[in-house]
Amino acid sequence: MQKISPIQIEWRPEKNGHTPVYKQIVQFVCDKVAAGEWTVGTKLPSQRALAELFEVNRITITTAIDELTSYGIVSGRHGAGTQISSNTWSLFLPKSNWNEYLKSGSFQENNVMIQAINRLEFEPSVIRIGTGEIDPRLFSQSMWSKTLQKVGSKLTSLGYLENLGLLELRQAIAKHLEDSGIRADPENILITSGSLQALQLIAVCLLQKGSTVFTEAPSYLKSLQMFQSAGMNLKGIPMDENGIEYWKLSSGETVDSSVLYTIPTNQNPTGTTMSENRRQELMKYCIDNQLPIIEDGAYQELSYNGVISKTLKSMDENGMVIYLGTASKTLAPGLRIGWVVASKPIVERLGDVKMQMDYGASSLSQWALTEFLNSGAYDEYLSDLKIELKNRRDNALKSLGKYFKNLASWNKPDGGFYIWLTFKNNIKIEQLFEAAIKEKILLNPGDIYDFKEDHSLRLSFAYVNSDEFNRAIRELSEIIKELN
Amino acid sequence: MQKISPIQIEWRPEKNGHTPVYKQIVQFVCDKVAAGEWTVGTKLPSQRALAELFEVNRITITTAIDELTSYGIVSGRHGAGTQISSNTWSLFLPKSNWNEYLKSGSFQENNVMIQAINRLEFEPSVIRIGTGEIDPRLFSQSMWSKTLQKVGSKLTSLGYLENLGLLELRQAIAKHLEDSGIRADPENILITSGSLQALQLIAVCLLQKGSTVFTEAPSYLKSLQMFQSAGMNLKGIPMDENGIEYWKLSSGETVDSSVLYTIPTNQNPTGTTMSENRRQELMKYCIDNQLPIIEDGAYQELSYNGVISKTLKSMDENGMVIYLGTASKTLAPGLRIGWVVASKPIVERLGDVKMQMDYGASSLSQWALTEFLNSGAYDEYLSDLKIELKNRRDNALKSLGKYFKNLASWNKPDGGFYIWLTFKNNIKIEQLFEAAIKEKILLNPGDIYDFKEDHSLRLSFAYVNSDEFNRAIRELSEIIKELN
């Protein structure tokens, strides 16, 4: 074995500098490695020795070493034996802007919470009563098998597609949109790799740094980093039971380049459906104030009460509204297919940029969705799904009435996945989240979606069946009693 | 019908201003519309009247109106009758950074050429002898039908997947990579929505504005806007028949945060395969100079001569190489599946960012590719494909020998799709491109891929069959004689 002589360190961090001390240490190690002075296998002094040498406390050293470890630059955690383990790509990680963004974002706490949720979602024993996804057990194996067999028998190639996406799918979607009162030609439709990508395209192609995006408070949009990371300001506008209180958005506020993002039907996370009156008033307000609208129709097709809400897009006469649709909340998130409906210059621009991002969404997914829509299987499946979701909602409301009557208030959604529950006393949601995890219950705290600290939960009856929901709600009520 | 009184314009463009006059006019119209002074339906004065009013020539007005039309802000081209047609989202288009980028890019000429190619590729009567895509007629309907049927019978859900992509697919790829001498665990592999997205992730997560990306000259990378639009510098390094002449990349040049992008096997666009000696020398050079490598293995599996080239990744002992693979050049571009092989901290970072971009690649595509790999169908298909491509290459070389002997020189590729042809006299490629289009032949000029004007073509025998190739080459030789 090669003998490596102990390294000598003359450098000391600057205690009162602009950069945190642990960051300086990370940078120092990176520089040494980048300069080739410390090669792979070089052993660092022990953490205790480093702390003495740099005249800092142990926690500073641990933080620096943890960060270097996460980049893969050193290996061998805690205690003796930390050594240099990479001198190439890993050195790029501490420098990337993305990293800066992640570390300095003002929404770090939410990030940590969301990260925890993302991680726990892959633990099979956890009951998820906040997840915005259809229960995988509702996956219709026979329908998919039949559909894929048909796709397989029809496919004659699987090459790159036109900028806007598969024409056959755009035709099928145009036809399908008629149910929501939207008249669109295939040339007004762009297929995206899910709705998330549609939002990204809008951020890159239409908005600018400093643009203001107004949205319901709370809103799904708040849980996404995307607009914020692109330098846009998100502003939450309160809601009542009829939807967004647009009049609180005083016209002085609607600045140049500002837009409105709304989920009018079965909103995420509150389950609220905007009334038809409110929709008409909102449209008038937006036209008068030249405030363009992004209408997210993710839950548009999931109303159980037989009423089809009038989309804002269906009232749109001059290209005021960009409508977003998706197959993720009805059919399957794994298809990764969404669509944008807008005027031709807009979809063409978004389409051009999309081509430079990923050359289009999966053609296989596009053919599969085309087959679902054209064969009628989609409509048939959707009507079954709505019956199931309605049953689950009824059960969920009953369960809440039984266990939470004195603890919280909540709404009765007409469709979608969600119930918004607000506690009557100021319960510490973070504490509840932690305590619930111990009982294997995963919650989606309202804070993730809200613009201020709240005392709410987004409950979803889509992912778990009624027995599971009831069990989780009963246990949760007990946890709360213990916490009080 | 509502009578609209003629609009009064007091404003005049600034003739010696920093902003081009036509741009000022575009901005003026946008401002009037944004301010609500000119509503939808407002008729603009005739172009002649506008030219007189603004004291500019007609072409300036036409340019401004054309741009406003492309944004959808006015409609009714040329002559009388131009009117305001939108006052909302369209107004965002002229302002977006993306637009600035498109208009101001230093590669605008290539852009125009690439745009023309993209457009003409959807004209069915055109013969495409430069297209980097497998002939759709080689699509194996029976294999796909069988595979999709199997996928359909096995699928039990189609939800969101882990950050790195479907575990079963990453396992299958890990196994498959052994053929290229690469040992990778599933946790070293990230599934992307095609290789293009992998490059985008690297640009966003690892590189910085001002980073230098070295690559072969010519290179496929030059045809992409991505790195340039992210503010990176692309630098071309000459090649000989053994690959990139790395010694021309003097160590003084390898600056901080610079990387090397290379396609060592069956390079795009030259068809060159780097010799094993050159690979070893290059690896040594990169280690000595701490120059990390992006190895694009898109054509790695397409060598016909029975020799499997040693990947750089297989020689990589310390995470120096990020390897990119894809199903687009072998199986089907429409799957939109690629993969990144790198050290764990790197794939994890890229995976985190990918989740914020599109929540992962199509699960359906991922399951389909898993089935192809695990069932052995992929290997079987690949061996047939290589036989077909080899026959086409042999024919192409014969055809070139017959018609281009005195006109040009070219190489003999050992695999992949491409032959790089260079004319002996300084033929104007743009003129040739135009003349060929008239004869319904679509060319891929070398300029698209090169760092300086050249007199070359990228020929591809992958997309057209031998008869079509021969016919196009014969006609092309006649066109050249006429041009001389």
Side-chain angles (χ1 to χ4, degrees):
Chain A
M1 217 176 103
Q2 199 186 345
K3 192 167 155 54
I4 296 168
S5 55
I7 51 173
Q8 297 298 323
I9 299 176
E10 302 293 336
W11 175 84
R12 300 287 176 277
E14 213 180 306
K15 290 289 166 53
N16 303 314
H18 189 66
T19 313
V21 171
Y22 87 92
K23 274 274 180 209
Q24 295 181 44
I25 296 172
V26 167
Q27 195 52 53
F28 169 72
V29 174
C30 288
D31 290 346
K32 284 291 184 189
V33 176
E37 291 180 46
W38 295 359
T39 53
V40 174
T42 301
K43 263 186 92 170
L44 296 187
S46 72
Q47 296 200 11
R48 175 206 286 264
L50 284 172
E52 278 173 20
L53 185 68
F54 293 155
E55 293 167 6
V56 297
N57 56 38
R58 278 288 288 277
I59 189 86
T60 305
I61 298 294
T62 316
T63 309
I65 297 291
D66 278 353
E67 186 152 323
L68 287 161
T69 305
S70 81
Y71 299 143
I73 293 166
V74 306
S75 61
R77 286 172 188 272
H78 307 302
T82 308
Q83 59 176 39
I84 304 299
S85 58
S86 172
N87 63 355
T88 49
W89 280 108
S90 301
L91 289 174
F92 285 67
L93 285 173
K95 277 188 281 190
S96 82
N97 300 332
W98 183 258
N99 183 53
E100 276 313 294
Y101 160 66
L102 276 187
K103 295 280 168 188
S104 69
S106 47
F107 300 95
Q108 205 184 343
E109 257 180 285
N110 274 356
N111 268 341
V112 170
M113 192 83 92
I114 294 171
Q115 276 168 21
I117 292 174
N118 287 344
R119 201 174 50 245
L120 289 161
E121 279 181 347
F122 285 93
E123 284 200 12
S125 62
V126 165
I127 300 184
R128 296 155 58 172
I129 57 170
T131 296
E133 194 179 337
I134 300 165
D135 190 341
R137 292 163 296 188
L138 298 179
F139 184 82
S140 169
Q141 221 277 325
S142 66
M143 176 184 73
W144 277 87
S145 174
K146 213 192 285 174
T147 302
L148 288 180
Q149 201 172 335
K150 278 207 232 165
V151 169
S153 70
K154 289 178 183 177
L155 263 190
T156 56
S157 76
L158 212 55
Y160 296 108
L161 297 172
E162 310 94 296
N163 284 13
L164 298 185
L166 185 67
L167 177 62
E168 286 83 347
L169 176 56
R170 288 182 288 125
Q171 286 166 336
I173 288 172
K175 196 156 171 292
H176 189 71
L177 284 169
E178 289 172 10
D179 295 345
S180 302
I182 298 172
R183 281 154 305 151
D185 290 325
E187 64 189 27
N188 296 122
I189 297 172
L190 168 69
I191 307 299
T192 59
S193 307
S195 259
L196 184 68
Q197 194 191 44
L199 289 173
Q200 209 201 6
L201 288 168
I202 291 170
V204 171
C205 302
L206 299 173
L207 306 181
Q208 299 174 84
K209 261 187 195 171
S211 291
T212 299
V213 181
F214 296 104
T215 186
E216 289 105 358
S219 171
Y220 161 68
L221 201 62
K222 181 62 169 54
S223 72
L224 299 179
Q225 299 288 340
M226 191 194 320
F227 281 149
Q228 283 128 315
S229 79
M232 283 126 217
N233 307 313
L234 231 59
K235 272 201 171 175
I237 308 297
M239 312 171 72
D240 62 19
E241 70 278 15
N242 291 315
I244 193 165
E245 296 173 316
Y246 63 88
W247 58 88
K248 293 192 172 161
L249 203 158
S250 77
S251 53
E253 262 194 303
T254 61
V255 288
D256 192 33
S257 293
S258 59
V259 300
L260 174 71
Y261 169 92
T262 175
I263 310 173
T265 306
N266 305 314
Q267 201 241 10
N268 179 1
T270 64
T272 307
T273 289
M274 203 185 289
S275 66
E276 193 172 327
N277 267 350
R278 182 67 53 85
R279 286 173 198 239
Q280 274 159 355
E281 292 164 20
L282 177 65
M283 279 300 284
K284 187 178 173 330
Y285 177 89
C286 287
I287 290 167
D288 289 349
N289 291 279
Q290 300 221 37
L291 182 66
I293 299 172
I294 303 166
E295 177 180 23
D296 190 337
Y299 304 90
Q300 167 66 22
E301 302 183 67
L302 288 172
S303 296
Y304 325 140
N305 55 3
V307 178
I308 295 173
S309 297
K310 234 175 155 167
T311 54
L312 300 173
K313 186 70 191 161
S314 72
M315 311 174 184
D316 180 28
E317 287 173 3
N318 56 359
M320 176 68 94
V321 181
I322 293 182
Y323 182 84
L324 308 183
T326 176
S328 296
K329 300 301 174 183
T330 49
L331 195 53
L335 272 181
R336 306 307 312 118
I337 298 292
W339 46 94
V340 176
V341 186
S343 64
K344 222 177 129 194
I346 299 291
V347 298
E348 278 177 0
R349 172 64 56 84
L350 299 180
D352 275 352
V353 177
K354 174 161 173 51
M355 283 306 265
Q356 301 217 22
M357 280 185 176
D358 65 6
Y359 284 140
S362 161
S363 313
L364 186 54
S365 286
Q366 294 188 61
W367 279 113
L369 182 55
T370 307
E371 183 61 36
F372 273 113
L373 290 169
N374 288 345
S375 67
Y378 180 84
D379 286 336
E380 218 173 289
Y381 158 83
L382 197 62
S383 103
D384 290 349
L385 178 68
K386 285 195 284 191
I387 293 169
E388 173 67 25
L389 286 175
K390 186 172 187 295
N391 289 339
R392 288 186 178 198
R393 177 204 59 182
D394 292 343
N395 168 77
L397 292 171
K398 216 191 292 174
S399 192
L400 288 172
K402 189 166 167 192
Y403 296 109
F404 275 72
K405 210 174 167 184
N406 300 315
L407 296 172
S409 60
W410 58 88
N411 64 324
K412 181 191 170 187
D414 291 329
F417 293 177
Y418 310 111
I419 294 172
W420 185 252
L421 177 139
T422 303
F423 291 102
K424 287 183 178 165
N425 60 11
N426 291 349
I427 189 163
K428 287 232 161 52
I429 293 287
E430 215 164 307
Q431 227 177 333
L432 181 64
F433 179 81
E434 299 286 348
I437 282 300
K438 280 190 195 128
E439 303 299 321
K440 301 270 182 196
I441 300 169
L442 183 60
L443 302 175
N444 282 43
D447 289 0
I448 295 174
Y449 313 98
D450 216 342
F451 288 79
K452 52 179 190 354
E453 200 185 337
D454 65 21
H455 307 284
S456 302
L457 294 177
R458 179 183 87 172
L459 295 175
S460 163
F461 43 82
Y463 195 78
V464 290
N465 66 29
S466 292
D467 282 351
E468 290 162 336
F469 190 88
N470 296 347
R471 188 154 24 102
I473 286 297
R474 196 191 59 229
E475 285 186 29
L476 203 58
S477 70
E478 278 162 25
I479 292 169
I480 289 169
K481 280 172 205 151
E482 278 167 37
L483 284 182
N484 279 341
Chain B
M1 215 175 103
Q2 200 188 344
K3 193 168 151 53
I4 296 167
S5 57
I7 51 173
Q8 297 297 323
I9 299 177
E10 303 292 336
W11 174 85
R12 300 288 177 273
E14 212 180 306
K15 290 288 167 51
N16 304 314
H18 188 68
T19 313
V21 171
Y22 87 94
K23 275 272 175 207
Q24 295 180 43
I25 298 172
V26 167
Q27 195 52 54
F28 169 72
V29 175
C30 289
D31 290 346
K32 284 290 184 189
V33 176
E37 291 181 45
W38 294 0
T39 52
V40 174
T42 302
K43 263 186 90 169
L44 295 187
S46 73
Q47 297 200 10
R48 177 206 286 263
L50 284 172
E52 279 173 20
L53 185 69
F54 293 156
E55 293 168 4
V56 298
N57 56 39
R58 279 289 289 276
I59 189 86
T60 303
I61 299 295
T62 316
T63 308
I65 297 292
D66 278 353
E67 185 151 326
L68 286 161
T69 306
S70 81
Y71 299 143
I73 294 166
V74 307
S75 61
R77 284 172 188 273
H78 307 303
T82 307
Q83 59 176 36
I84 303 299
S85 58
S86 173
N87 63 356
T88 48
W89 278 109
S90 301
L91 289 174
F92 285 67
L93 285 174
K95 276 187 283 191
S96 80
N97 299 332
W98 183 257
N99 183 53
E100 277 313 292
Y101 161 66
L102 275 188
K103 295 278 168 193
S104 68
S106 46
F107 300 95
Q108 204 182 344
E109 258 181 283
N110 275 355
N111 269 341
V112 170
M113 191 84 91
I114 293 170
Q115 276 169 21
I117 292 174
N118 288 344
R119 203 173 50 245
L120 289 160
E121 279 181 347
F122 285 93
E123 287 200 10
S125 62
V126 164
I127 301 185
R128 295 156 59 174
I129 57 170
T131 296
E133 193 180 335
I134 300 166
D135 190 343
R137 294 163 295 187
L138 298 180
F139 184 81
S140 170
Q141 221 276 324
S142 65
M143 176 185 72
W144 276 86
S145 174
K146 211 191 287 175
T147 302
L148 288 181
Q149 200 171 333
K150 277 206 233 165
V151 169
S153 70
K154 289 180 184 177
L155 264 189
T156 55
S157 76
L158 212 56
Y160 296 108
L161 298 172
E162 311 95 295
N163 283 14
L164 297 186
L166 185 67
L167 177 62
E168 286 83 347
L169 177 56
R170 288 182 287 126
Q171 285 166 335
I173 288 172
K175 195 156 172 292
H176 188 70
L177 284 169
E178 289 172 11
D179 295 345
S180 301
I182 298 172
R183 281 156 304 151
D185 290 325
E187 64 188 27
N188 296 122
I189 297 172
L190 168 71
I191 307 299
T192 60
S193 307
S195 259
L196 185 68
Q197 194 191 45
L199 289 173
Q200 209 200 6
L201 288 169
I202 290 170
V204 170
C205 303
L206 299 174
L207 306 182
Q208 298 176 82
K209 260 188 198 170
S211 290
T212 300
V213 181
F214 296 104
T215 185
E216 287 106 359
S219 170
Y220 160 70
L221 200 64
K222 181 62 171 52
S223 72
L224 300 178
Q225 300 287 342
M226 192 196 319
F227 281 148
Q228 282 128 316
S229 79
M232 283 126 218
N233 306 313
L234 231 58
K235 272 204 171 175
I237 307 298
M239 311 172 73
D240 61 20
E241 69 278 14
N242 291 316
I244 193 166
E245 297 173 314
Y246 64 86
W247 57 89
K248 292 191 173 163
L249 204 157
S250 76
S251 54
E253 263 193 303
T254 59
V255 287
D256 193 32
S257 292
S258 60
V259 300
L260 174 72
Y261 168 92
T262 176
I263 310 174
T265 306
N266 306 311
Q267 202 243 9
N268 179 2
T270 64
T272 307
T273 289
M274 204 184 288
S275 66
E276 193 173 326
N277 265 351
R278 183 65 55 85
R279 287 173 197 239
Q280 274 158 354
E281 291 164 20
L282 176 65
M283 280 298 286
K284 185 176 175 334
Y285 178 89
C286 287
I287 290 168
D288 289 349
N289 291 279
Q290 300 222 36
L291 183 67
I293 299 171
I294 303 167
E295 177 180 24
D296 190 338
Y299 305 89
Q300 166 68 22
E301 302 183 65
L302 289 171
S303 296
Y304 326 139
N305 54 4
V307 179
I308 295 172
S309 297
K310 231 174 156 168
T311 54
L312 299 174
K313 186 69 190 163
S314 72
M315 310 174 186
D316 180 27
E317 287 173 2
N318 56 358
M320 176 68 92
V321 180
I322 293 181
Y323 181 83
L324 308 182
T326 175
S328 296
K329 299 302 173 181
T330 48
L331 196 54
L335 273 181
R336 308 306 311 119
I337 299 291
W339 46 94
V340 176
V341 187
S343 64
K344 221 178 132 194
I346 300 291
V347 298
E348 279 177 0
R349 172 63 57 84
L350 299 178
D352 275 352
V353 177
K354 173 158 174 54
M355 283 306 266
Q356 302 218 22
M357 281 186 175
D358 65 6
Y359 284 140
S362 161
S363 312
L364 186 56
S365 287
Q366 293 188 61
W367 279 113
L369 182 55
T370 306
E371 183 62 36
F372 273 113
L373 289 170
N374 288 345
S375 68
Y378 181 83
D379 286 335
E380 218 173 290
Y381 158 81
L382 197 62
S383 101
D384 289 350
L385 178 68
K386 285 195 283 189
I387 292 169
E388 174 66 26
L389 285 174
K390 186 173 188 291
N391 288 337
R392 289 186 178 199
R393 178 205 58 183
D394 292 343
N395 168 78
L397 292 171
K398 217 192 290 175
S399 191
L400 288 171
K402 190 166 167 191
Y403 295 109
F404 274 72
K405 207 175 168 183
N406 301 314
L407 297 171
S409 61
W410 58 87
N411 63 323
K412 181 190 169 187
D414 293 328
F417 294 177
Y418 309 113
I419 295 172
W420 185 252
L421 176 141
T422 304
F423 291 103
K424 286 183 179 163
N425 60 10
N426 290 350
I427 189 163
K428 287 228 160 55
I429 292 286
E430 216 164 305
Q431 229 178 329
L432 181 64
F433 179 81
E434 300 286 346
I437 281 300
K438 281 188 194 131
E439 303 299 321
K440 301 272 183 195
I441 300 169
L442 183 60
L443 301 176
N444 282 44
D447 289 1
I448 295 173
Y449 313 98
D450 216 342
F451 289 79
K452 54 180 190 350
E453 201 185 338
D454 65 21
H455 307 284
S456 303
L457 294 176
R458 180 183 85 172
L459 295 176
S460 163
F461 43 83
Y463 195 77
V464 290
N465 66 29
S466 293
D467 283 352
E468 290 162 337
F469 190 88
N470 296 347
R471 187 152 27 99
I473 286 296
R474 195 190 61 232
E475 285 186 30
L476 202 61
S477 70
E478 278 161 25
I479 293 169
I480 289 168
K481 279 172 205 152
E482 278 167 38
L483 284 181
N484 279 340

